[in-house]
């Protein structure tokens, strides 16, 4: 059974339909990417799946109807979003941001401490800056903090909205490296990206979103070799 | 005025200010977490004083009826909301919070009627009785409009204040009360006599502000409150429920307001409607802190206390007129800061 399944999802801002009948599924531990140009509706899709925006259509997570769960209940079940805007707590220290990432598991103090150690080990740069306010971090460090904070919740599914946005090429490589390594933890990932090449290299399955509709789908490797996809999204690089 | 009188007035002013500090900090806390300017905090303080007075005379305090009414109403709303959303799973826990927990101190008050609890017992029971009031009102009044604008929330808070004054008259009656002094002891510094009670008031204010600071710095719940205040969406994405943080904020702020009510009860005669002026002066402190800074709010509240103390020496009839007359320019200046901090949070 799919871990997350979206069926015929529609999301609108007033009269503007930003997501138009999208269906997709993610298996446990799988990395699925949704690529598409700016304004295609990628952020809207993730926000609706998380419950930040109202939507029409069917959504289930681990067999449970998502409409019965509010945002916080989704997080408690291991359904976590790292939004495009990161939403870090800028005035609070790196360590406090990470601690709050484990809030959904607040009754499991030992597990939280273990998760904190693991995240610090995975992101040594965060460990060095643990007492520094999150607002003073560089772009790459902020993205790592956002990822680390999400990992504190022991997610089963991570929704990542443009993790490479605004980062220098070298840092982008590092971030995708980290995303690929999460595979080893058994975390399923729904990765939304404009950086199509890197996303398809990392993912198992890919979907191309244009103007709110999925226009191509398939194994990530097949999409990379699809001339239409290559012409629109991979050209020149 | 000689130096001796000035010193006594200053000591009095600091003690009065210390009482406002606790309520002012509550204003900042509630505004940060819920965006509500909680006008009725003064009423919470006054009701605590009235509760303590009733316990001293061996009566069942009016707070008992108030809490029962609010708990029943909040529970009905909770059940209705859950039936409508078809989310009955969390109902037992919600009933525990909105019905069982608030009724524990009510039961204690009944069992204690006619018995001598001692000063500490009476103070503890008064605080326990007042603590559920604001969180239950939050559930009943503010949660349904939680996403409204700051202005609408303020309007609701003002209406709530008038509603509470009416309930105060109903449950506590029109008589003014003054409780027994916490202590009659005096101490002498440089040939001048000061009361130990004044010292206790200042100490209590420092201790409880300090405890709140420790809560914010060192507990996960405290950090969750700061996170909600700084970034509500980010906090929700961590699984921090706004309803939970606002309940915690109201419990803490009620505790602070309740303590200030306990401290003011032996030094001033308190009526069912005395809360407004107390709250207003504490609110001025919070505005001096731009509704955002705890230390500046504390300094502002002390400043208001000092102003009041010296004004009442010059003319006790015009005390409040002098206080607010001097404060208006300060407020105009500080409100610019408030507007800035509000824009920042809406960013
Ligand atoms: N808050 C909003 N109100 C109205 N329209 C919006 C809003 N957010 C996004 N849109 C519109 O919805 C479409 C999809 O936006 P978005 O999901 O942000 O795209 P992407 O993340 O793929 O760049 C765009 O046409 C955008 O202009
Ligand atoms: Mg986007």
């Amino acid at each position: 059974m799919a871990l997350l399944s979206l069926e015929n999802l529609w999301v609108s801002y007033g009269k503007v339909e930003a997501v138009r009948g999208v269906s997709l599924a993610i298996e446990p531990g799988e990395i699925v990417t949704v690529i598409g140009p700016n304004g295609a509706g990628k952020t809207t899709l993730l926000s609706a799946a998380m419950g930040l925006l109202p939507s029409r259509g069917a959504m289930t997570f681990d067999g449970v109807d998502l409409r019965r769960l509010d945002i916080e209940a989704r997080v408690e079940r291991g359904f976590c979003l790292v939004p495009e805007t990161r939403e870090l707590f800028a005035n609070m220290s790196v360590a406090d941001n990470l601690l709050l990432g484990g809030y959904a598991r607040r009754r499991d103090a030992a597990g939280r401490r273990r998760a904190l150690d693991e995240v610090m080990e995975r992101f040594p740069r965060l460990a060095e800056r643990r007492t520094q306010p999150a607002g003073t971090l560089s772009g790459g460090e902020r993205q790592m903090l956002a990822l680390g904070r999400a990992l504190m919740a022991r997610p089963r599914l991570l929704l990542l909205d443009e993790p490479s946005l605004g980062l220098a090429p070298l840092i982008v490589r590092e971030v995708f490296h980290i995303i690929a390594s999460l595979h080893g933890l058994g975390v399923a990932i729904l990765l939304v990206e404009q950086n199509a090449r890197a996303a398809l290299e990392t993912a198992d399955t890919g979907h191309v979103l244009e103007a709110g509709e999925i226009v191509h789908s398939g194994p990530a490797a097949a999409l990379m070799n699809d001339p239409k996809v290559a012409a629109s999204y991979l050209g020149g690089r | 005025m000689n130096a001796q009188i000035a010193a006594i007035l200053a000591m009095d002013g600091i003690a009065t200010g210390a009482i406002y500090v606790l309520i002012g900090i509550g204003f900042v806390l509630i505004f940060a977490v819920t965006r509500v300017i909680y006008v009725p905090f003064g009423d919470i303080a006054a009701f605590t004083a009235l509760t303590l007075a009733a316990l001293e005379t061996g009566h069942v305090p009016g707070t008992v009826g108030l809490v029962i009414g609010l708990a029943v109403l909040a529970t009905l709303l909770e059940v209705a909301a859950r039936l409508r959303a078809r989310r009955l799973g969390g109902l037992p826990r919600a009933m525990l919070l909105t019905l069982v927990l608030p009724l524990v101190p009510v039961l204690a008050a009944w069992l204690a009627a006619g018995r001598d609890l001692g000063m500490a017992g009476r103070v503890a029971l008064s605080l326990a009785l007042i603590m559920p009031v604001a969180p239950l009102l939050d559930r009943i009044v503010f949660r349904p409009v939680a996403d409204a604008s700051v202005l609408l929330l303020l309007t609701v808070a003002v209406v709530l204040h008038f509603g509470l004054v009416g309930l105060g008259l109903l449950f506590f009656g029109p008589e003014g009360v003054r409780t027994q002094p916490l202590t009659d002891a005096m101490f002498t510094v440089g040939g001048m006599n000061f009361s130990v009670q004044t010292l206790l008031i200042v100490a209590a204010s420092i201790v409880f502000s300090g405890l709140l600071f420790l809560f914010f710095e060192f507990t996960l719940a405290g950090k969750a409150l700061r996170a909600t205040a700084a970034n509500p969406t980010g906090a929700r994405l961590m699984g921090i429920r706004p309803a939970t943080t606002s309940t915690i904020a109201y419990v803490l702020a009620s505790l602070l307001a309740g303590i200030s009510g306990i401290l003011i009860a032996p030094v001033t005669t308190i009526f069912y409607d005395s809360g407004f002026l107390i709250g207003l002066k504490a609110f001025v402190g919070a505005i001096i802190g731009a509704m955002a800074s705890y230390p500046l709010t504390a300094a502002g509240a002390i400043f208001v206390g000092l102003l009041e103390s010296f004004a009442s020496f010059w003319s006790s009839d015009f005390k409040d007129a002098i206080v607010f007359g001097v404060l208006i320019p300060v407020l105009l200046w500080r409100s610019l800061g408030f507007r800035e901090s509000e824009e920042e949070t809406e960013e």
Side-chain angles (χ1 to χ4, degrees), chain B residues 156-318:
Chain B
V156 173
V158 171
V159 173
L160 180 61
H161 156 70
F162 285 112
L164 271 181
V165 171
L167 289 174
L169 180 59
L170 180 68
F171 284 110
F172 294 103
E175 300 84 20
V177 299
R178 191 185 274 239
T179 60
Q180 296 162 14
L182 300 169
T183 163
D184 288 324
M186 303 289 283
F187 71 105
T188 314
V189 179
M192 283 180 293
N193 287 326
F194 295 98
S195 75
V196 172
Q197 176 165 288
T198 315
L199 213 60
L200 272 179
I201 291 174
V202 176
S205 179
I206 293 172
V207 166
F208 285 99
S209 317
L211 284 177
L212 186 71
F213 173 78
L214 294 179
F215 170 75
F216 280 147
E217 281 302 308
F218 296 109
T219 69
L220 188 64
K223 286 170 186 174
L225 247 64
R226 282 164 61 204
T228 304
N231 180 350
T233 309
R236 293 203 70 183
L237 290 175
M238 304 298 104
I240 302 169
R241 281 203 167 71
T244 308
T245 45
S246 75
T247 300
I248 296 174
Y250 274 110
V251 166
L252 290 174
S254 302
L255 188 62
L256 295 180
I259 290 164
S260 65
I262 303 279
L263 297 177
I264 207 169
V267 292
T268 313
T269 305
I270 299 288
F271 295 85
Y272 70 97
D273 63 352
S274 299
F276 183 68
L277 216 51
I278 302 170
L280 189 60
K281 287 172 188 160
F283 179 64
V284 169
I287 289 288
I288 291 176
M291 285 308 264
S293 158
Y294 293 100
L296 280 180
T297 295
I302 299 278
F303 175 62
V304 175
L306 284 171
L307 208 57
E308 186 180 334
S309 170
F310 281 89
S312 64
F313 173 74
W314 284 310
S315 160
S316 69
D317 288 340
F318 289 106

Side-chain angles (χ1 to χ4, degrees), chain A residues 13-14 16-19 36-45 53 84 161-162 192 194 209:
Chain A
Y13 297 105
V16 183
E17 301 275 2
V19 169
N38 203 0
K42 306 184 294 297
T43 298
T44 307
L45 177 67
L53 287 175
E84 201 171 353
D161 196 348
E162 306 226 21
V192 151
Q194 279 190 65
L209 192 70

